[in-house]
Amino acid sequence: MREMKSIFKASNVVKLVFIVLTYLLVQFLINIGIITDYYQTTLATICINIILAVSLNLVTGFTGQFSLGHAGFMAIGAYACAIITLKNPTYAGFIQGVAAGAILSAIVGVAVGLPTLRLRGDYLAIATLGMAEIIRIIFTNLKITNGAAGLQGIPRFINWTWLFVFTAATLIIISNFIKSSHGRACIAIREDEIAAEAMGINTTKYKVAAFVIGAFFAGVAGALYASYFYFLKPNIFNFAKSVDILVIVVLGGMGSLTGSVLGAAILALISTFLQRFSEVRMIIYSLILIIIMLFRPQGIMGSRELSLSLFKRAASKIEPKVGKERS
Amino acid sequence: MPILTVEKLTKSFGGLTAVSNVNMEINEGELLGLIGPNGAGKTTLFNLLTGVYVPTTGKIVFRTKKGEESIQGLRPYKICGKGIARTFQNIRLFKNLTVLDNVRIAMHKDIQYGIFSSFVHGLRYNKEEKKIVEESIKLLEILGLDKKKEELANNLPYGEQRHLEIARALATNPSLLLLDEPAAGMNPAETTELISLIRHIREEFNLTILLIEHDMSLVMQTCERIYVLDYGKIIANGTPEQIKSDKRVIEAYLGEDVNNA
Ligand SMILES: Nc1ncnc2c1ncn2[C@@H]1O[C@H](COP(=O)(O)OP(=O)(O)O)[C@@H](O)[C@H]1O
Ligand SMILES: [Mg+2]
């Protein structure tokens, strides 16, 4: 038992060290000029996409509920934050904007999730698809969102450090949730909904909980997007955007948080790199996706996590051989 | 004293009446058998008792510490929460999860920390998780699976998967345990072991057990009382001796020699 406890604590320390080192490394690359302003945009995209992918992964990869409208939640967060910071361009306004965006998203999540997630089957996919379209159309027609032209000159209150803090916090919160009894309840639903329910799990409650937590963080990602890129229009949050997020999740591995992180980073780097091939860009991008999925249909990570224990397991596969040789 | 009373329970699927006007009484502490030819409606009866299906008509009354309650039509997780647990004839484990996780998941309903504490892993979380792991391992020891706690459920041999189904059901802390053909696919040695295991857990956890079994010898050896279901109807109810000599039972099992068991 004591042994288990020490591993548990060690893994937490490792996580923290890893997070701090990642930050310092990127900061160092910025300082010495390897990551230029141009690439900082990519960096911001990666952070925002990690939050989006990880929150969608909770719903689709871990709980097994297909959602096709993640961009809709992102839009709610983005517009809420933009409108509030335009009215109140202070740090307090920005924090209010993020909070309002996330909470509004979560409320819409409850409204969409409750009626559809009671039912078994893929009703959620259809409902979320419709929801995201409705949100986009509403934002195209409202005065306060300035219609199809969108909002400009949104005050920027965040830099890369802020984005990193938000991304790390999201990762820690969702990873902690998954490693709790509540998270296991969600995973049980993905594995076998009937068995989960028979073992005392209120499956509706946990499907809705996962969906609402997912919506909340998609709202946060949208708010960060608005503040960093200071320009919004409804078409940014179209169906293609929802698919982009789903692609990151599938490519990284359904049910793997580190997979989503890798997926977000790799895809953002590939598309940044492809910017110079303007015409054939999308063709090459699609080809790369197809090739990756051909070689790893379960995604880069499958449902595994990149962790210390994975390295230990790999090492333990080698060790016995060494032992035999010695004896 | 009856722990479960079933009154005039009926379930129809379109034109087919799978369970028809069933009356049953299960006394506290009993080890009861439910037998009947294939397609008689035994599993359907379990599905009604555990809320997987809503009865067409009829009543199910279950006695908990709080008194007697009608439970027909309640959602399965609520019925589980009241103290009825089950295993599945067609094994329904969480296949891609470890043996330990399968059991831990079934302890979720009694968890003492909320969703918000799960975000931060506070003190409550550590204490509870430690407790859950310890209790799960205890259960796995009883079912002989503790050494395999880190293996994926899917990789266990068939017999051990059936054991894990029982461990998982016990993890929900039931007072009534429903076992749906727990010996299916087991060899005679495994079946003998299973019989003593069932007796052991009944003592250990103060259980009332209702057991569906195809293997007549197992039922006749283990059960104190037996219900016989045929075409959705209860056709007999009594001790193994009474059942063996019941005319209607012998007819229902036409071709299979009941006395051979
Ligand atoms: N969901 C269902 N829909 C339609 N028919 C069903 C359903 N479940 C069970 N049945 C039918 O009910 C009858 C009893 O099945 P079952 O309870 O599985 O029998 P047993 O467990 O005694 O072998 C069978 O004829 C079966 O085909
Ligand atoms: Mg059956």
Side-chain angles (χ1 to χ4, degrees):
Chain A
M1 225 48 247
R2 200 185 300 150
E3 190 189 352
M4 267 201 57
K5 219 175 175 180
S6 70
I7 287 173
F8 174 72
K9 277 191 180 149
S11 80
N12 267 355
V13 172
V14 167
K15 246 182 244 163
L16 206 68
V17 168
F18 186 76
I19 288 172
V20 172
L21 281 182
T22 309
Y23 176 76
L24 290 178
L25 175 70
V26 175
Q27 193 57 49
F28 176 70
L29 292 176
I30 292 172
N31 286 347
I32 62 170
I34 289 182
I35 297 180
T36 57
D37 281 356
Y38 175 71
Y39 286 115
Q40 283 208 37
T41 310
T42 307
L43 207 54
T45 306
I46 292 174
C47 285
I48 290 166
N49 282 352
I50 287 175
I51 299 176
L52 289 167
V54 157
S55 56
L56 180 64
N57 206 341
L58 173 64
V59 180
T60 302
F62 288 95
T63 317
Q65 308 302 308
F66 255 92
S67 169
L68 289 174
H70 221 50
F73 294 122
M74 188 189 177
I76 294 173
Y79 272 96
C81 183
I83 291 165
I84 291 172
T85 43
L86 279 167
K87 287 233 166 78
N88 178 10
T90 60
Y91 263 108
F94 166 67
I95 296 292
Q96 278 169 26
V98 177
I103 290 167
L104 260 172
S105 252
I107 291 171
V108 173
V110 173
V112 175
L114 254 187
T116 46
L117 288 168
R118 281 170 186 284
L119 311 165
R120 220 167 271 150
D122 290 327
Y123 298 93
L124 185 73
I126 299 156
T128 47
L129 190 72
M131 172 210 74
E133 274 308 283
I134 291 169
I135 289 169
R136 196 175 60 83
I137 290 165
I138 290 175
F139 287 169
T140 313
N141 288 290
L142 280 183
K143 216 173 181 182
I144 192 170
T145 58
N146 199 26
L151 297 171
Q152 284 165 36
I154 302 157
R156 182 193 268 189
F157 282 103
I158 48 168
N159 50 23
W160 129 258
T161 302
W162 269 93
L163 280 172
F164 186 86
V165 169
F166 272 105
T167 307
T170 305
L171 273 168
I172 290 169
I173 289 173
I174 293 187
S175 140
N176 278 353
F177 175 76
I178 284 160
K179 284 185 201 136
S180 75
S181 190
H182 303 283
R184 288 193 295 268
C186 291
I187 296 170
I189 294 170
R190 174 193 75 194
E191 288 293 306
D192 188 326
E193 195 169 338
I194 290 176
E197 176 101 15
M199 295 307 132
I201 289 163
N202 182 348
T203 52
T204 307
K205 176 182 162 187
Y206 282 99
K207 283 192 279 182
V208 173
F211 186 62
V212 171
I213 295 169
F216 181 93
F217 283 104
V220 171
L224 299 179
Y225 180 94
S227 193
Y228 193 88
F229 291 100
Y230 45 76
F231 168 69
L232 292 181
K233 61 176 185 186
N235 271 350
I236 294 171
F237 309 103
N238 56 11
F239 179 60
K241 181 70 197 174
S242 292
V243 172
D244 282 346
I245 304 166
L246 191 62
V247 165
I248 297 173
V249 173
V250 174
L251 183 101
M254 301 259 263
S256 169
L257 294 182
T258 41
S260 289
V261 174
L262 285 176
I266 290 170
L267 288 184
L269 289 174
I270 290 175
S271 57
T272 303
F273 175 74
L274 289 176
Q275 301 262 300
R276 61 190 80 162
F277 310 100
S278 54
E279 276 118 54
V280 287
R281 198 179 85 226
M282 284 323 287
I283 300 173
I284 299 176
Y285 185 79
S286 310
L287 274 178
I288 292 173
L289 282 186
I290 291 168
I291 290 168
I292 296 178
M293 291 322 283
L294 277 178
F295 283 98
R296 285 203 62 88
Q298 73 278 46
I300 298 168
M301 293 299 297
S303 63
R304 283 190 164 182
E305 296 293 352
L306 200 60
S307 70
L308 207 59
S309 61
L310 196 68
F311 290 119
K312 275 185 190 157
R313 222 176 296 154
S316 73
K317 273 184 190 158
I318 304 165
E319 259 169 32
K321 280 185 199 158
V322 176
K324 265 179 204 161
E325 276 166 11
R326 269 190 210 138
S327 62
Chain B
M1 236 197 318
I3 186 169
L4 187 88
T5 314
V6 174
E7 280 172 35
K8 295 183 182 161
L9 198 66
T10 298
K11 176 69 187 176
S12 308
F13 297 108
L16 178 94
T17 306
V19 169
S20 169
N21 209 16
V22 163
N23 294 301
M24 261 179 124
E25 226 178 57
I26 305 179
N27 294 315
E28 194 159 2
E30 255 186 322
L31 207 171
L32 205 63
L34 177 62
I35 62 172
N38 244 332
K42 304 180 295 293
T43 299
T44 305
L45 183 58
F46 269 23
N47 283 335
L48 292 169
L49 296 180
T50 53
V52 176
Y53 295 150
V54 178
T56 310
T57 56
K59 221 171 139 182
I60 304 165
V61 177
F62 184 59
R63 193 160 48 77
T64 63
K65 280 177 214 142
K66 289 182 200 147
E68 295 197 326
E69 297 174 62
S70 293
I71 59 163
Q72 73 277 3
L74 288 186
R75 280 186 50 188
Y77 83 91
K78 287 208 163 142
I79 293 178
C80 175
K82 292 188 189 302
I84 303 181
R86 71 174 291 177
T87 64
F88 292 92
Q89 181 181 354
N90 322 308
I91 300 174
R92 297 191 82 121
L93 292 168
F94 307 121
K95 287 198 190 105
N96 304 308
L97 305 185
T98 63
V99 167
L100 178 65
D101 276 343
N102 268 272
V103 176
R104 282 202 285 184
I105 283 166
M107 291 186 173
H108 174 72
K109 71 181 182 48
D110 297 321
I111 198 78
Q112 295 295 318
Y113 63 88
I115 290 183
F116 286 96
S117 7
S118 76
F119 293 151
V120 290
H121 286 193
L123 285 177
R124 249 279 184 56
Y125 166 90
N126 285 331
K127 210 177 109 197
E128 276 284 301
E129 287 292 314
K130 200 177 153 215
K131 196 182 93 190
I132 288 179
V133 171
E134 283 169 2
E135 284 177 9
S136 302
I137 288 174
K138 258 187 226 157
L139 277 177
L140 289 174
E141 276 167 2
I142 291 172
L143 284 128
L145 290 168
D146 50 314
K147 292 203 173 60
K148 300 206 167 179
K149 64 182 192 326
E150 296 301 336
E151 276 195 41
L152 296 186
N154 207 24
N155 295 342
L156 294 182
Y158 199 71
E160 288 183 347
Q161 292 197 10
R162 292 235 176 255
H163 279 196
L164 182 54
E165 277 254 349
I166 297 175
R168 190 177 66 167
L170 289 174
T172 67
N173 191 21
S175 52
L176 173 63
L177 179 63
L178 310 178
L179 301 173
D180 198 344
E181 306 209 15
M186 285 188 178
N187 62 36
E190 287 173 321
T191 306
T192 314
E193 195 200 316
L194 180 74
I195 292 172
S196 64
L197 188 78
I198 290 172
R199 289 199 175 118
H200 174 72
I201 58 171
R202 174 164 75 142
E203 298 302 316
E204 176 89 23
F205 299 99
N206 248 327
L207 290 172
T208 308
I209 296 178
L210 177 59
L211 176 104
I212 293 180
E213 193 41 73
H214 216 71
D215 183 339
M216 282 296 236
S217 70
L218 189 152
V219 181
M220 297 293 172
Q221 275 178 59
T222 5
C223 298
E224 289 138 13
R225 195 157 66 91
I226 295 168
Y227 277 98
V228 187
L229 206 59
D230 191 26
Y231 291 110
K233 290 195 174 69
I234 299 283
I235 56 166
N237 153 31
T239 62
E241 291 310 311
Q242 288 169 327
I243 295 298
K244 273 185 202 171
S245 53
D246 192 293
K247 249 195 178 150
R248 294 175 68 181
V249 178
I250 295 167
E251 269 170 38
Y253 275 89
L254 207 67
E256 291 178 49
D257 192 349
V258 184
N259 287 303
N260 225 357

